[in-house]
Amino acid sequence: MVWGCFAASGPGQLVIIEGNMNSALYQKILKEKIRSSVCQLKLKHSWVLLQDNDPKHQSKFTSEWLKRNKMKFLEWPSPSLEPH
């Protein structure tokens, strides 16, 4: 599995993941890679994180971590709004 991020200005850092990723590993990756990617991509303070409805992204544990670390994020649309 690979975790990555990107912006209009280009790709950010990539992380190769052995096995499965859970909420704790996801948060560790965010802690270690998001801010450095933001600097590398020369993004302003107005960047926003977009994640899908994967359980590790939507867990209470991750949501609380994002709020504690003052990360702005967009809510992914409800699955009921996705086209069939």
Side-chain angles (χ1 to χ4, degrees):
M1 178 185 303
V2 176
W3 174 91
C5 62
F6 61 91
S9 55
Q13 297 183 16
L14 294 175
V15 178
I16 306 297
I17 299 154
E18 299 288 331
N20 294 324
M21 185 184 335
N22 59 20
S23 292
L25 179 55
Y26 179 61
Q27 291 168 41
K28 181 178 187 279
I29 291 169
L30 291 177
K31 180 179 180 182
E32 294 174 357
K33 301 298 180 183
I34 283 285
R35 300 220 190 265
S36 58
S37 289
V38 166
C39 290
Q40 172 188 331
L41 295 167
K42 296 178 174 52
L43 301 178
K44 307 272 187 213
H45 293 287
S46 60
W47 68 272
V48 177
L49 178 66
L50 175 63
Q51 13 179 49
D52 61 20
N53 280 330
D54 186 282
K56 69 185 131 299
H57 300 162
Q58 300 301 320
S59 74
K60 182 177 179 183
F61 187 51
T62 296
S63 295
E64 290 173 354
W65 187 91
L66 291 168
K67 289 175 187 168
R68 264 195 326 276
N69 287 278
K70 299 179 179 161
M71 290 199 185
K72 293 183 279 183
F73 59 96
L74 291 177
E75 296 288 338
W76 190 261
S78 164
S80 63
L81 296 176
E82 293 178 8
H84 298 293

